[in-house]
Amino acid sequence: GPYRNESSWGHVPSNELCLVDWKPCSEFWKTHKTALKQFLADFTSETSIPVALYTVLHKPLRDHVQQYALILTRLSECPDQEVVTSVAKQYAKLQSFISQVLDEACLTKALWKSLGNKLTEWLCVPERRLLEDSKNLPIFASVGRTSRVLLFDDILVLIQGNNCQSFDLKLVWVDGSAICSSPIPTSCLNLLVPLCPQAVWQWKLNQAVRQALNGKRDFPLWGEAGEGSEPPFHRCFKYVFRAEGRFKNAAYEGEWYWGKPHGKGTLKWPDGRNHVGDFKEGLEHGFGICLIPLLSEDKYDCYKCHWCEGKMRGYGICEYGNEMVYKGYFNDNLRQGFGILENPSAEQPFKYTGQWDNDKKNGYGVWDDKDRGERYIGIWQDDHRHGQGIVVTQSGVCYQRTFHVDKMVGSGILLLEDDSVYEGNFTRDLTFVGKGKLTFSNGFTLEGTFSNKSSQGLQTQGILNTSGDQQDASITKVQLGLDEFPVEKRWQGIYDQFLDFLHSGCKEEMEESFTGFHIQTSKELRKSQEYLFCQRGPEDVSGKIEDVLEELVQHRELESLQCYLQKAFKSSLHPLGKLLKALTFAFQATYSGIGANKHLLNMAQEEVKYYAKKIWEFYQGLLHLALEQKGQPLAKTEDGEKRCDLNAYGVILPLILPCFYPELFMLYMLYHEKEDDLYCQGIVDLSLFPDVKLLEFLDVQKHLWPLKDLTLTTNQRHSLIKDKCFLSATECLQKLITTVDPREKLEILQKTYEEIESTVSRVVERDYKLPMDDLLPLLMYVVSRARIQHLGAEIHLIRDLMDPTNEGGMYDFLLTALESCYEHIQKDMRLHQRESWYVSRDP
């Protein structure tokens, strides 16, 4: 009954109990008259049942409680004293509670009579109770000219003349004499209280706020153990903003702190805008997803991004209503830094990968026009091609020109599929116009003025130079972009984000904002956020920054470092793995597909080596920070820059090369395609020889022939056996194509040399060190039997990317020997072709 439901005392006023509809009660008691007679023994038959029940259940309640308390006090001397004493205390608390509730009802009733009609109409709610009045306990507020402060059980009211301002207690925070409420999120309401009653006001405010949050009143009156505890500063509830500003009319549901959204929450505007994510001090801060409806159609722009102080800043994925998708970095709600914009629609498909500034394409970038089958690699300004640029077409033609607001100006260089080179002016559809020079692949040149009329075709007025032997004419393999796009200025937006993260002290809450470009789908974006709060297996490389810094210090020895970095590069959650993945996207955007053009080889090769250098620098920065936190300074060396390059080649490059190898090796194959074709034709011819004939043809000294290794069957002769001599060395050399690491390729080459020397030593029955004159023919034999495709591409890749410390050593010597064999086979094939050409022309 009323003794157990304490909260009901705060909602049903004593002066309104008589207004309760007692008809259901009367119907109930008519069926239980015997019990009713016993219950109403002191009443006459003329008394109505509702009035009798009201009198019995309400009027003497305080008297009953008081009598029970006195009886229990007298019984405190009984044997079970502890139980009786406890019950007596509870009844004393109940007595105090009832008195407080009834006093509040009386104060509230008196207040409604004393206030004006306007204020009473606005404030009077049946269940509302007055807890304190500044007329009874003086207090002054700093907001306007407040003449009176009223504390109710659900709101705090400031009265200013005939007007008043109210604050929902759920949105009120109390700290000393300061009160903060979300309707005034930028300021605090200061209550100036005389010294003596200050504690009373503060306690009542805290109690009222706590009760409003809990949805029930305290019982006992002063609370349980820990009485007078303050309401939580971190809260969770729903509120609709009414004040002017960006949040006007928005409904926020989520976590709060000191009058402002703080933590996880959701904002919803009436116009359909939504923001779900992290908040800090009243603003979007951290990861969040924002939906903005388009006015013209039933579509949304969806921003899945990192936010800082209410604005997009850091990495994000934005799916626009027009089907375009942007994956990249923001600053102050604008696209800034490195990013990818793609339109997958069938009408005008395109993809831009590069630098952004002030929401526009600015700086170095790559544009794929999938409709025209072209790729532009070069400089942009305010969304236009502006500056030096390279255009690569699907047909294999590429050219380099200067652009001005998307238009080509001045002369340029045009490289055709047949290795002809045109230098001069030409149109976008690759028509020669004006003065120019055309150099054919055979060395002939045509220089003069070109024109192209639709009815007459290509015309020129100039000089045709055919001097020299056309068969010996050298093929010029022009390389583009090296001077125009210094490798240090490419993809600066990627490096800047990681360096900013490093300079910020590698704060974990900002890691995905700075280094999030490894994420390319919304699903991965959600997983990356969840990872920050997940446990990992012991075999995984941690992506948590404190673990990363700790592990870097533990793996400083070369062998241990290589193993650790190998795992780190494979992890998309490790900062080094994130940097590598971002660089992989940039590299593939430039050199894969249409970009696989041999005239871009040197650009690509330089880029990969520079990646290794920057990754090593970033590793050094992380290690320096880790040691600094432990109070262990990183030792500096005088040849620091040289040491950095050596470590980039020796440690980093072999580990990251697999990520770029498919595109890079394709460029090497295209660049050396003609030489490799000659080499392959030579290998085919040499493969027709039996072992003995081939050894003889290559001038291998007979005492070095391993004829003892040949096991003859019936009707076989040494002169008919193929692919049996130096078999172990041949099989070893064939492993050259099974690895992408230049260092491992050189080790395979050395192992091949050792197998050749071991076979020769067995033949001559003594240790035999091969001189160069003996090594070259033997190595050429092994090369011809190994039949490695694209050997020229392999040799030049090793030469370009091998560790500089190997120059002049054994590896360099063996690579030079292999290169000599390759060139000798080409030369023989070229001579053979020339003889065939002369024979074909001889009548």
Side-chain angles (χ1 to χ4, degrees):
Y3 302 105
R4 296 179 182 176
N5 187 10
E6 301 88 3
S7 61
S8 65
W9 293 95
H11 299 287
V12 185
S14 59
N15 60 332
E16 294 180 6
L17 283 175
C18 58
L19 301 180
V20 176
D21 184 6
W22 292 94
K23 187 175 180 180
C25 299
S26 301
E27 296 298 327
F28 171 80
W29 287 115
K30 284 179 182 178
T31 59
H32 299 79
K33 290 184 178 180
T34 305
L36 180 61
K37 287 180 181 180
Q38 296 175 358
F39 196 57
L40 304 178
D42 297 334
F43 292 87
T44 63
S45 58
E46 289 84 10
T47 306
S48 66
I49 293 178
V51 173
L53 287 174
Y54 169 73
T55 304
V56 169
L57 295 177
H58 177 68
K59 280 190 90 174
L61 182 57
R62 282 183 290 182
D63 296 336
H64 290 331
V65 172
Q66 186 176 6
Q67 290 174 8
Y68 297 155
L70 291 174
I71 292 172
L72 289 168
T73 303
R74 294 170 188 167
L75 291 175
S76 61
E77 299 178 358
C78 69
D80 197 355
Q81 182 179 358
E82 185 177 345
V83 176
V84 174
T85 303
S86 175
V87 174
K89 288 181 180 179
Q90 291 297 322
Y91 266 93
K93 292 176 182 178
L94 178 59
Q95 187 177 7
S96 175
F97 179 82
I98 294 171
S99 298
Q100 177 70 21
V101 170
L102 294 177
D103 290 345
E104 290 172 0
C106 293
L107 286 173
T108 307
K109 183 177 180 180
L111 177 67
W112 301 146
K113 293 180 179 180
S114 64
L115 288 178
N117 292 334
K118 181 180 177 181
L119 291 176
T120 301
E121 183 180 353
W122 190 70
L123 294 174
C124 183
V125 179
E127 61 271 16
R128 183 168 288 162
R129 289 292 175 271
L130 177 66
L131 303 182
E132 193 54 77
D133 188 343
S134 62
K135 279 191 173 182
N136 302 328
L137 194 64
I139 190 173
F140 305 96
S142 63
V143 178
R145 296 182 178 179
T146 303
S147 59
R148 193 172 181 182
V149 180
L150 301 176
L151 175 62
F152 291 95
D153 58 355
D154 60 338
I155 60 173
L156 178 67
V157 178
L158 306 182
I159 299 178
Q160 301 169 344
N162 292 326
N163 299 318
C164 67
Q165 188 176 6
S166 68
F167 305 93
D168 189 337
L169 288 183
K170 292 180 180 178
L171 279 72
V172 170
W173 278 257
V174 182
D175 182 17
S177 62
I179 300 177
C180 178
S181 181
S182 63
I184 46 171
T186 58
S187 62
C188 286
L189 169 65
N190 292 319
L191 298 181
L192 307 178
V193 188
L195 185 60
C196 293
Q198 179 176 355
V200 178
W201 259 104
Q202 185 173 344
W203 181 87
K204 288 198 171 187
L205 280 168
N206 281 328
Q207 186 191 46
V209 171
R210 186 178 65 253
Q211 291 178 159
L213 291 170
N214 295 336
K216 64 178 183 179
R217 302 196 54 159
D218 289 347
F219 181 82
L221 185 61
W222 297 90
E224 297 288 354
E227 55 190 16
S229 61
E230 296 181 353
F233 281 98
H234 291 274
R235 306 173 191 174
C236 187
F237 54 87
K238 185 176 181 180
Y239 178 76
V240 178
F241 291 91
R242 301 300 182 192
E244 293 292 334
R246 194 160 55 90
F247 290 173
K248 184 180 180 181
N249 297 328
Y252 174 80
E253 185 173 4
E255 297 175 319
W256 295 74
Y257 180 75
W258 196 242
K260 298 177 183 179
H262 192 95
K264 305 288 183 183
T266 302
L267 265 175
K268 294 183 179 180
W269 282 266
D271 62 4
R273 286 177 294 158
N274 285 275
H275 183 96
V276 181
D278 298 323
F279 291 80
K280 183 178 180 181
E281 296 184 0
L283 297 173
E284 302 95 324
H285 192 93
F287 178 73
I289 300 176
C290 182
L291 289 177
I292 300 179
L294 301 180
L295 300 178
S296 58
E297 46 191 327
D298 188 21
K299 293 182 179 180
Y300 288 81
D301 288 343
C302 180
Y303 297 85
K304 302 168 186 177
C305 188
H306 292 269
W307 300 69
C308 181
E309 298 179 355
K311 295 182 179 180
M312 287 186 289
R313 187 179 301 173
Y315 179 71
I317 297 178
C318 300
E319 299 164 348
Y320 300 103
N322 58 6
E323 297 185 3
M324 286 196 293
V325 179
Y326 174 79
K327 304 170 185 177
Y329 294 97
F330 286 84
N331 188 36
D332 292 341
N333 291 335
L334 301 177
R335 290 172 289 194
Q336 184 82 17
F338 179 73
I340 297 175
L341 179 66
E342 185 172 10
N343 183 10
S345 66
E347 294 183 2
Q348 290 182 331
F350 68 83
K351 182 178 181 180
Y352 172 78
T353 304
Q355 190 73 11
W356 295 77
D357 183 46
N358 200 28
D359 216 38
K360 294 182 179 181
K361 295 183 280 291
N362 278 285
Y364 181 76
V366 178
W367 173 275
D368 265 352
D369 188 335
K370 299 181 181 179
D371 191 33
R372 289 179 58 91
E374 289 182 354
R375 177 172 295 170
Y376 171 82
I377 305 168
I379 306 301
W380 294 76
Q381 182 175 315
D382 293 338
D383 282 339
H384 298 290
R385 306 180 191 194
H386 195 90
Q388 290 293 322
I390 298 171
V391 176
V392 185
T393 67
Q394 207 163 17
S395 63
V397 176
C398 67
Y399 59 89
Q400 183 171 309
R401 289 292 295 270
T402 300
F403 289 81
H404 182 80
V405 192
D406 286 333
K407 295 182 179 180
M408 294 188 294
V409 296
S411 61
I413 182 169
L414 174 63
L415 308 173
L416 303 175
E417 307 98 303
D418 62 352
D419 287 323
S420 298
V421 180
Y422 174 77
E423 298 172 87
N425 201 1
F426 51 90
T427 62
R428 191 177 181 187
D429 61 359
L430 308 182
T431 301
F432 302 163
V433 292
K435 292 183 178 181
K437 179 182 178 181
L438 178 61
T439 303
F440 297 95
S441 59
N442 59 8
F444 292 0
T445 62
L446 180 61
E447 188 170 2
T449 302
F450 294 84
S451 63
N452 187 15
K453 297 181 180 179
S454 58
S455 60
Q456 299 176 355
L458 180 65
Q459 295 181 334
T460 182
Q461 295 179 354
I463 302 173
L464 177 65
N465 185 356
T466 60
S467 61
D469 189 341
Q470 63 178 13
Q471 300 304 329
D472 288 334
S474 61
I475 300 175
T476 304
K477 296 180 178 179
V478 180
Q479 290 294 297
L480 302 178
L482 293 176
D483 297 327
E484 292 75 16
F485 315 120
V487 67
E488 299 84 4
K489 295 185 179 180
R490 299 178 219 161
W491 314 124
Q492 196 60 44
I494 297 178
Y495 305 129
D496 287 346
Q497 291 294 330
F498 282 81
L499 288 176
D500 288 345
F501 172 61
L502 193 60
H503 295 154
S504 71
C506 297
K507 297 177 181 177
E508 184 171 347
E509 64 273 14
M510 298 300 293
E511 182 176 353
E512 288 300 296
S513 174
F514 283 119
T515 66
F517 200 82
H518 66 286
I519 300 165
Q520 289 293 292
T521 66
S522 300
K523 185 176 181 181
E524 288 178 347
L525 194 62
R526 287 193 298 271
K527 284 185 176 180
S528 72
Q529 298 304 308
E530 294 168 359
Y531 176 81
L532 298 177
F533 308 98
C534 294
Q535 298 294 326
R536 65 185 180 92
E539 71 282 356
D540 299 331
V541 174
S542 176
K544 295 183 181 296
I545 197 62
E546 62 270 18
D547 295 337
V548 169
L549 297 179
E550 181 64 31
E551 290 170 350
L552 285 174
V553 177
Q554 297 173 2
H555 298 87
R556 298 177 64 185
E557 297 298 326
L558 181 59
E559 186 175 349
S560 176
L561 175 61
Q562 287 176 328
C563 293
Y564 174 75
L565 289 178
Q566 189 171 22
K567 293 180 181 179
F569 289 143
K570 291 180 180 179
S571 170
S572 62
L573 298 170
H574 192 286
L576 295 174
K578 293 174 185 178
L579 176 56
L580 178 59
K581 195 167 185 180
L583 294 173
T584 303
F585 285 132
F587 190 81
Q588 291 173 346
T590 311
Y591 305 108
S592 66
I594 299 175
N597 191 291
K598 61 185 177 183
H599 301 291
L600 302 179
L601 172 60
N602 285 1
M603 271 186 68
Q605 177 241 112
E606 264 194 349
E607 209 163 292
V608 171
K609 291 192 286 189
Y610 190 70
Y611 291 163
K613 180 179 179 181
K614 296 302 291 185
I615 291 175
W616 177 259
E617 289 177 3
F618 188 57
Y619 159 75
Q620 286 289 97
L622 289 172
L623 180 60
H624 177 76
L625 179 63
L627 293 174
E628 192 177 67
Q629 292 180 356
K630 289 181 171 291
Q632 304 174 18
L634 183 65
K636 294 184 179 180
T637 58
E638 295 182 0
D639 56 346
E641 186 172 350
K642 181 180 178 182
R643 192 69 184 170
C644 174
D645 291 340
L646 293 177
N647 285 322
Y649 273 101
V651 179
I652 302 297
L653 186 59
L655 298 176
I656 68 171
L657 192 56
C659 297
F660 312 105
Y661 192 81
E663 293 78 19
L664 185 61
F665 193 67
M666 174 61 73
L667 295 176
Y668 272 99
M669 287 193 299
L670 293 172
Y671 189 85
H672 299 282
E673 184 176 15
K674 292 190 175 181
E675 294 92 327
D676 277 341
D677 285 345
L678 281 174
Y679 155 78
C680 286
Q681 292 175 26
I683 291 296
V684 170
D685 290 346
L686 293 176
S687 66
L688 300 176
F689 286 92
D691 287 354
V692 173
K693 289 291 184 180
L694 183 57
L695 290 169
E696 183 179 4
F697 176 77
L698 296 175
D699 293 329
V700 177
Q701 297 185 44
K702 288 189 177 183
H703 71 281
L704 302 180
W705 293 6
L707 299 181
K708 295 179 182 179
D709 294 345
L710 304 181
T711 303
L712 300 179
T713 60
T714 308
N715 300 325
Q716 276 189 316
R717 301 194 310 272
H718 285 302
S719 59
L720 299 179
I721 299 299
K722 288 178 61 177
D723 299 322
K724 296 297 182 181
C725 292
F726 297 99
L727 183 59
S728 61
T730 301
E731 291 176 345
C732 184
L733 186 61
Q734 288 172 338
K735 296 177 182 178
L736 195 72
I737 62 174
T738 63
T739 179
V740 303
D741 185 355
R743 178 180 53 198
E744 292 180 0
K745 290 178 183 291
L746 289 170
E747 290 173 354
I748 290 171
L749 188 56
Q750 184 176 22
K751 180 67 175 173
T752 301
Y753 166 75
E754 292 171 355
E755 289 293 337
I756 294 174
E757 200 170 65
S758 174
T759 301
V760 171
S761 297
R762 189 174 65 253
V763 170
V764 299
E765 298 180 344
R766 61 183 177 85
D767 288 341
Y768 190 86
K769 297 298 180 182
L770 287 170
M772 191 65 170
D773 292 342
D774 289 342
L775 173 63
L776 282 179
L778 287 172
L779 184 58
M780 190 174 298
Y781 173 89
V782 172
V783 169
S784 65
R785 288 300 190 234
R787 302 181 183 90
I788 298 175
Q789 289 186 329
H790 312 296
L791 183 60
E794 294 280 3
I795 291 172
H796 287 87
L797 183 141
I798 297 171
R799 176 71 69 189
D800 292 339
L801 300 180
M802 72 178 187
D803 193 333
T805 57
N806 292 325
E807 293 179 4
M810 186 62 179
Y811 285 151
D812 196 4
F813 165 74
L814 293 175
L815 185 61
T816 302
L818 180 63
E819 199 168 4
S820 298
C821 295
Y822 173 78
E823 291 174 353
H824 187 78
I825 294 173
Q826 281 187 81
K827 183 179 179 180
D828 287 348
M829 195 63 217
R830 196 175 284 116
L831 290 172
H832 176 69
Q833 287 181 346
R834 179 177 295 180
E835 291 172 0
S836 301
W837 183 77
Y838 280 120
V839 169
S840 65
R841 295 191 61 177
D842 190 350

